[in-house]
Amino acid sequence: MEIRETKEGTVVVLEPIGRLDTNTSGEFEKKLVELLEEKEERFVIDLTHIDYISSAGLRVLLMAAKRLKNMNGSLVLCSMSAHVKEVFDIAGFTPIFTIVLSQTEAIKISK
Amino acid sequence: MENELSIILKNDKAGIQKVRKGFDEFGQSHQLQQTVFLDAHLVLDEVLTNIVEYGYDDKKEHLIEVQIRLYENVLEIEIIDDSRPFNILETGDPDLEQSLEEKPIGGLGIYLVKKLMDELEYCRQDGRNHLVMKKKITVQVEKDDQDSQS
């Protein structure tokens, strides 16, 4: 899967493209783990180009959130479509993540 | 008016990918309502992955059948497989109130299926699971609807 990656100061901004399902979540997890092992601590995941996320994708985000919390790092999600937000709400994930509307806002609060 | 898609797949990741591609084409050619299309992709992913990863005790190849039927007001997805008996309606729900630290990783997929679909039917017949999932397709609102006042 294509994952666009940029860095804004100390914040890593990832923009996965397509779907976060059982097929693609492994690659996304690998990218996150790679960055975590390089000691990156501030992450923004921009979901503009994610059509839908299945439980596999949710699990990857949960893993990242748990690890970052243990490191006193941060994870901010932004630009979710209505459908992705609905899945987050149903899964009970909305209260445990920091979710904002725009990437600009996400980067701002990550610094 | 009824439109159908029938796919037989092997119990592996390539098989599930075949279903994704087939349903992508089906959804696009029938101009399926976006939320219905996305929900259907999600439940196909969850159920088929569940079968492939947890459904079999042996290492043999098994076949799974996916039937998709599009009616005017509802999309029906039927999945038929010979994995171990699994009645989704009888599974317990995960505890969603837990905080980040306590949250377990499992149990979500099936819960999402139960919540996103409008109707679920299950039966076990001739050594096979038959799961039918239905999602309503909302009627398109006419542009000159009387309710819209600007």
Side-chain angles (χ1 to χ4, degrees):
Chain A
M1 108 179 286
E2 188 193 340
I3 305 169
R4 293 180 192 158
E5 184 185 337
T6 53
K7 194 115 185 253
E8 304 284 331
T10 55
V11 183
V12 173
V13 179
L14 294 176
E15 211 169 319
I17 316 266
R19 301 159 172 178
L20 277 170
D21 58 19
T22 311
N23 194 40
T24 56
S25 296
E27 284 175 66
F28 190 60
E29 183 174 19
K30 201 166 152 211
K31 169 54 73 172
L32 280 168
V33 168
E34 236 172 64
L35 292 163
L36 287 166
E37 283 170 6
E38 287 168 16
K39 309 287 186 217
E40 296 293 349
E41 288 178 352
R42 318 205 88 65
F43 285 78
V44 164
I45 299 177
D46 185 326
L47 298 169
T48 304
H49 302 288
I50 290 298
D51 302 327
Y52 73 86
I53 182 166
S54 71
S55 67
L58 290 173
R59 279 197 290 280
V60 170
L61 291 176
L62 186 63
M63 173 279 300
K66 285 184 179 189
R67 279 180 74 158
L68 284 162
K69 187 158 185 199
N70 287 338
M71 295 159 63
N72 281 321
S74 74
L75 175 62
V76 181
L77 307 178
C78 70
S79 317
M80 280 186 193
S81 69
H83 189 263
V84 169
K85 179 69 169 41
E86 190 197 9
V87 172
F88 263 74
D89 290 342
I90 293 171
F93 271 42
T94 305
I96 60 177
F97 281 88
T98 306
I99 300 170
V100 298
L101 291 177
S102 72
Q103 194 185 110
T104 314
E105 208 183 325
I107 293 169
K108 198 162 140 192
I109 66 180
S110 299
K111 292 196 165 165
Chain B
M1 179 187 51
E2 182 190 84
N3 286 284
E4 284 189 18
L5 172 69
S6 182
I7 300 177
I8 298 192
L9 58 140
K10 288 191 249 181
N11 59 325
D12 58 25
K13 289 189 173 184
I16 304 179
Q17 191 59 9
K18 187 166 92 160
V19 174
R20 287 192 191 100
K21 291 203 143 92
F23 186 62
D24 267 339
E25 282 166 24
F26 182 83
Q28 274 151 33
S29 65
H30 290 85
Q31 295 184 296
L32 196 53
Q33 181 180 359
Q34 185 72 344
T35 48
V36 173
F37 179 67
L38 296 175
D39 284 347
H41 257 301
L42 214 161
V43 302
L44 281 165
D45 185 274
E46 300 293 358
V47 176
L48 293 173
T49 300
N50 203 52
I51 295 170
V52 168
E53 290 191 4
Y54 305 113
Y56 306 97
D57 295 318
D58 59 35
K59 303 279 181 193
K60 296 187 197 154
E61 182 184 291
H62 291 261
L63 295 180
I64 303 168
E65 188 176 345
V66 173
Q67 287 178 13
I68 296 172
R69 298 181 283 266
L70 176 62
Y71 299 96
E72 195 180 326
N73 295 315
V74 69
L75 180 75
E76 266 185 28
I77 299 172
E78 182 166 2
I79 299 181
I80 304 162
D81 69 272
D82 64 356
S83 70
R84 72 172 74 103
F86 179 73
N87 183 353
I88 191 175
L89 301 169
E90 287 177 357
T91 57
D93 292 341
D95 179 357
L96 299 181
E97 296 297 312
Q98 293 169 327
S99 65
L100 182 64
E101 292 83 4
E102 298 168 312
K103 223 162 182 51
I105 307 280
L108 265 178
I110 295 304
Y111 181 72
L112 289 175
V113 173
K114 288 199 275 190
K115 286 288 167 179
L116 289 171
M117 293 289 103
D118 294 312
E119 256 181 74
L120 294 171
E121 287 162 16
Y122 170 84
C123 71
R124 180 89 181 166
Q125 217 174 26
D126 302 325
R128 288 185 167 75
N129 296 307
H130 289 252
L131 174 64
V132 178
M133 305 182 278
K134 299 182 191 181
K135 183 77 187 178
K136 287 181 202 152
I137 297 169
T138 53
V139 178
Q140 298 293 331
V141 175
E142 296 299 328
K143 290 208 155 113
D144 57 353
D145 189 81
Q146 284 167 335
D147 289 334
S148 61
Q149 317 247 334
S150 46

